[in-house]
Amino acid sequence: MATEETTSDQLGQSAELRLQKLKGQVFEVALVAATLVGIVSLLVLFAQISNDAFQPGTASSTWFLVYFGTLVAPTAAFTLYARRRPAVRTANALAFAAVFGGLLLSFVTYAVVDALSPYDVFIYAFFASLPPALVLAYDRTTDKQTYTGPLLPVSILVGIGVAALVDGPISGLVGIAAEWIMYFGLVTVPAALLVAWRTASRRGRRTGAVAGGVVAAGALAVAVASISLGTNASLLVVLYSAFAVPTGYVIWRSVKTNPEGRIGVAGPFIILGGVLLGASIVEQFAIENPDSYLTPTLLLESWDGLTASNAGVYPQIVGSIIIVGFMAVLAFPVGIGAAIYLEEYAPDAGLRGRLATLLEVNISNLAGVPSVVYGLLGLALFRRTLGFGTGIVVSAAGTLGLLILPIVIVSTQEALRSVPDDLRQGSYGMGASRWQTLREVVLPEAIPGTLTGTILALARAIGETAPLVIIAVATTKYSPPSGLFSSATALPLQIFAASANAKPEFRHGVVPAAAVVLLILMLLMNATAIVIRNKYGRTN
Amino acid sequence: MASSHDSGTERITRRKSLATLAGAGALALAGCTSGDGGDGSDGGSEELSGDIRISGSSTVYPVAQEVTRSFAEQNPEVDFNLTRDGSGGGFNNVFIPGDSDMNNASRPITEEELQRCRDNGIEPVEFFLAQDALTVVVNNDADFIDEISLEELGTIWSPDTAPETWSDVNEDWPDEPFDLYGPASTSGTYDYFIEAVIGETEADQDIREDFEGTEEDDLIAQGVAGNEYALGYLPFAYYTNNPDSVKALSLSEDGGDPVEPSLEGAQSGNYPLARPLFTYGHMGKIQEKNHLQEFIRYYINEADEDYIAESIGYVPASEQMVEDNLTALEEAIAGEYEYSA
Amino acid sequence: MSNEPESGVGSLQRSGFVVRKERLYGRLIAACAVLTILVTVGIILALSGRAFSFWSQISPIAFFTGTSWSPVIAESYGVLPLVSGTLIVTIFSALIALPVGLAAAIYLSEYASDKARSILKPALEILAGVPTVIYGYMALVYVTPLIDSFLPFSVELIPSGVPVLPEFTFVMPSLGTFNALSASIVVGIMIIPMVSSISEDALSAVPDSLRQGGYGLGSTKFDVSTRIVVPSATSGIVASYVLAISRAIGETMAVTMAMGMSPQMPYFPNVLRNLAESSQTITAAMVQIAGADSYGGGPTYEALFALGLTLFAITLTMNILAELVRRRFREEY
């Protein structure tokens, strides 16, 4: 009968369908498993490294309870509270950025300037900023048309040159002033100017000037107080200018403009306060700390090959930061310039067009060249041709700068490409020249994408070891580099050098701790890049 | 804002700010002079500052690392640059071209190196530092062997014989291939081993080539620890640095009794592979650099301390050696030193 | 800065000054771009000079076909052991990364929800961002002991007594402290993101109409993904494979730390023994020479540049190949 046939047909079909469905599900599970394999393996390895670095097993359960009570619980409560209140979250995000960003900036600035000698840095900064300031002032007061754009970098270079000449003779004179005055000039003055400018744009010139003056006066007060107390005036001045002032400013603005979200500013302080409170309780009641190797000693001392508990990587951290900073200065302008040419200036056809294609092919090939080969290039260029010493900061920064140049170019190209053409056309329609369009319209839109790409490239470069080994950067240094031509030192190199040491307190102690420090640095940079991309970036 | 009220507040504001600034300025002047320039003058009038570049032996490296570290702690303005290039590598690539102030060596400077130094206008100043007991190690699970004769060792490593398996050398040993580890050719330990153990060879090369050579002596111990049929040789300090991971063999010479590697054996001369460790200074730079002189003086005086034996693993220098070294230093400072073997 | 033309209100003519300024900026920008060519030229020059000086002393034939790499002791400069070391690491890491990367790409582009993708994509990117020193350290200190605890491992696949087929036992020997297996594993993990992200871009670029067509004909998602989408994106997938392999070839620190320094020719037929033993790649040999001999002259130092030039040529060829594959075989939709 017809119905029977249909039923048996249907039954046959559904069995087949079920098999197919099973196959599909198995396939999907296999795909998920594959996707997770790499991530899970890495997490397992990270867990092992962190376990060796922090040694959580050696802490008593009381310790965990204390920190749970002072840190985890309040933070969780605050997060739950903020979850449904976007105003609170905005205020919290701002406060977070100000507090932790400010702390980070203060310590990094202090460490780097201290390593390079505050007097030298001040002299160079002073003379490097004087000519551009003059150029800008001239440009604003005169009606004549000027080549201000290209003049600015040239004037900076001239200023640096003058500083180099003058540094020797003047440093004796400048050295009479106390160290904190140098930091005042380097950190407080820009901070005060920034506050003054922001306040002036809102409330008028006079209020702005007053605000700036208050900031400066505050710094002086801090310096005076710390001198009389005998503490490190320089560090406190930097902390005040780069941490307290921005935090105070952000809190004040949040309180004024975001009345319902005001509580959000408490977020970072809950965390900081929780950590401090927990630490004091642990100290007071002599609760067992974990036998962690990630201690202040690690972060502030220099290496000790015999006693693991004395070993530290401070010179290497500062060295890595200096190298990365200088490398950014070298690679950023050239990379952006090249990307602008390829995206905005180069024609699509003709001889020039083919040259541009060749350039692009060349750049994508350079991106794939192994880092050892860049090391050889650096060796040949800096040691042989230019005759610099072995493994100095300039060579290291130059070699790594060449390494990340293709990446900077490609990501800037993508950022420029993502700016919609209508904006450009609109600007041309108003009669602007190509450079004006670039400067006023395209570049501001492309900056977040460029910054993201550059920071990611820098995060990669901070972990590069092979080129540094090839250009013979030293592995044993007890103090951070003292200048751009002094011998460099870097954190990944120290890890490489110490990896052979099989004593358990090194292999499963200090070295994993140093590796964790490197990972944290890298994660911080990645996080910054992602935050910039999410907050300011264009969705493609 | 009413103008009179305005000027009133203005005046107060201006006066107040002037007063505050003046007061702050006066106080600031008090803290203005760089009184906090020097943190702790450890009994010294001026601080030592400058660069010191030390190249050379990986054997001497642990001593150099510890001494430079403690010196740098007391003299933070002295900038050290310490590398591990091997005794020969250090001479060849760094010291003779004039790039380093000192070269550590686990063997004496050769005639050829001395001549090249002098050709470059460098007079090397020899300082005797410590003694090492070169140790031969095998895997912990290698139950078939506890001692070895120098002759057997020479046979294993010589390029003329280059045996494949253990049983090729001694029938009591298992029929398993060798897995050999040793220092790289830039190392003084390598040079010393060739001279003391292998001796003259008929082949073009000094040593068989199929061993794993490294400049990081820790890796020798780790490599041997990974294979039951492995054999390696390394400085005593690196053996004590990798505790319980490898087994040291007792050495016998010319049919005599086997002697365990130990610092006492090295000091007394009973242990066959006892060898001196040196550091060589660049006389010109010693004369010029004050901080280098102070450092060498410190280095020499530290070489007879107990921690050299206890923490690092070498035989410390004797008092006589320290005296001789100090004399050499004074001669070098005066520019009157001349090296003689 | 004013831009008013001096020639009157109605004119659209740009003033001469602005034109000159434009040209100046244009030239400056172009100079930045030209600098990148200088980098390539610099690399080629830096490597070739010393490399050819090396090849004038050591015959290139001996270099490229010699089976013993012992630069200082035996003064033999045969590069084949190094090439075999590199091949072992590359092949085994590709065995890990290529299937896993493709699977991840298929999942991310075809199956994953937006939320899952927003978490998994950055997570995969982190795999590529971890510094290679740390990978090398983890391989040496954590991976090797972990794997070694399961070894030696032998499984009789074809027992004796079976007619026709010879006996075959699968034997994985115990790992030495320095071995190629741990290094290959971490390199494989490291290059997964290269495969997955480029393949995912290629898979996402396949237009939806093809998929809908497949569904319209009654195919399952499995069929659509494997029989329609993946074949259409083949050029991108193959390009990602080639790029990932090129990256594995150029990897330095992980293999230097975990593989040791015993260049040797590979073992046949006991292929697995190669994984358990120490070996040396081209890049590790370069690091070894640079660490020892980075100032002097002599054939050993120049061998460094010869190796560098060889490596550069290999990776350049592979990158160009990837680009060609991508362009030539790209499906026109």
Side-chain angles (χ1 to χ4, degrees), chain C residues 207-249:
Chain C
D208 233 14
S209 50
L210 291 179
R211 292 185 189 83
Q212 298 305 331
Y215 289 131
L217 289 175
S219 312
T220 60
K221 193 158 185 178
F222 172 71
D223 285 330
V224 166
S225 303
T226 53
R227 298 214 197 141
I228 299 182
V229 182
V230 169
S232 312
T234 309
S235 71
I237 296 176
V238 170
S240 80
Y241 281 2
V242 176
L243 283 174
I245 291 178
S246 159
R247 173 88 180 83
I249 292 178

Side-chain angles (χ1 to χ4, degrees), chain A residues 20 27 31-32 34-35 42 45 49 52 145 149-150 337 341 359 362 376 384 390 432-433 435-436 465 507 522, chain C residues 3 14 17 21-22 25 29 32 35-37 40 47 100 103-104 107 111 127 129 133 137-138 142 220 222 295:
Chain A
Q20 279 199 330
F27 183 63
L31 287 183
V32 174
T35 314
L42 191 64
L45 290 171
I49 262 197
D52 277 344
Q145 296 177 329
Y341 177 78
L359 279 173
N362 180 42
L376 286 179
R384 298 264 144 204
T390 46
S433 71
W435 176 247
Q436 283 173 322
T465 325
R507 179 161 277 194
M522 182 209 75
Chain C
N3 193 17
R14 290 220 183 102
F17 171 76
K21 200 158 126 178
E22 275 297 301
Y25 286 135
I29 299 275
C32 291
L35 217 77
T36 59
I37 297 252
T40 313
L47 296 179
V100 170
Y107 178 71
Y111 285 81
L127 290 183
V133 209
Y137 189 78
M138 295 197 289
Y142 302 114
T220 60
F222 172 71
Y295 321 99

Side-chain angles (χ1 to χ4, degrees), chain A residues 376 379 470, chain C residues 46-58 63-64 69-72 75-79 82 282-283 285-290 293 296-311:
Chain A
L376 286 179
L379 186 65
I470 305 256
Chain C
L47 296 179
S48 324
R50 295 248 154 199
F52 286 122
S53 158
F54 174 75
W55 280 320
S56 67
Q57 298 176 43
I58 313 279
F63 182 74
F64 286 110
W69 178 263
S70 178
V72 189
E75 292 190 14
S76 57
Y77 294 93
V79 89
L82 302 178
I282 298 178
T283 48
M286 290 170 73
V287 168
Q288 187 182 24
I289 297 178
D293 219 339
T300 311
Y301 178 65
E302 295 185 335
L304 176 65
F305 291 89
L307 287 175
L309 191 60
T310 313
L311 189 68

Side-chain angles (χ1 to χ4, degrees), chain A residues 216-289:
Chain A
L220 286 173
V222 165
V224 165
S226 68
I227 292 176
S228 51
L229 287 174
T231 51
N232 189 341
S234 313
L235 179 59
L236 287 173
V237 166
V238 173
L239 271 176
Y240 168 81
S241 320
F243 164 63
V245 164
T247 309
Y249 183 81
V250 161
I251 293 181
W252 185 51
R253 298 278 327 147
S254 284
V255 165
K256 287 205 108 184
T257 59
N258 193 359
E260 43 189 61
R262 256 183 276 192
I263 311 220
V265 296
F269 294 104
I270 293 183
I271 296 184
L272 278 179
V275 170
L276 288 173
L277 185 62
S280 61
I281 294 183
V282 165
E283 181 94 21
Q284 185 75 2
F285 292 101
I287 303 179
E288 263 200 52
N289 267 324

Side-chain angles (χ1 to χ4, degrees), chain A residues 99-191:
Chain A
V99 168
F100 289 109
L103 276 175
L104 205 63
L105 187 63
S106 315
F107 289 127
V108 166
T109 313
Y110 180 72
V112 170
V113 173
D114 185 55
L116 297 175
S117 159
Y119 297 99
D120 285 335
V121 176
F122 179 76
I123 292 177
Y124 273 89
F126 180 75
F127 281 103
S129 51
L130 212 55
L134 289 173
V135 168
L136 277 173
Y138 177 71
D139 183 63
R140 249 165 240 259
T141 51
T142 187
D143 276 332
K144 285 203 292 190
Q145 296 177 329
T146 49
Y147 282 97
T148 319
L151 254 184
L152 273 175
V154 169
S155 63
I156 295 181
L157 287 175
V158 165
I160 294 181
V162 169
L165 286 172
V166 158
D167 186 36
I170 281 201
S171 59
L173 189 66
V174 176
I176 299 181
E179 208 178 69
W180 66 266
I181 298 187
M182 300 296 119
Y183 285 98
F184 182 86
L186 284 169
V187 188
T188 314
V189 166

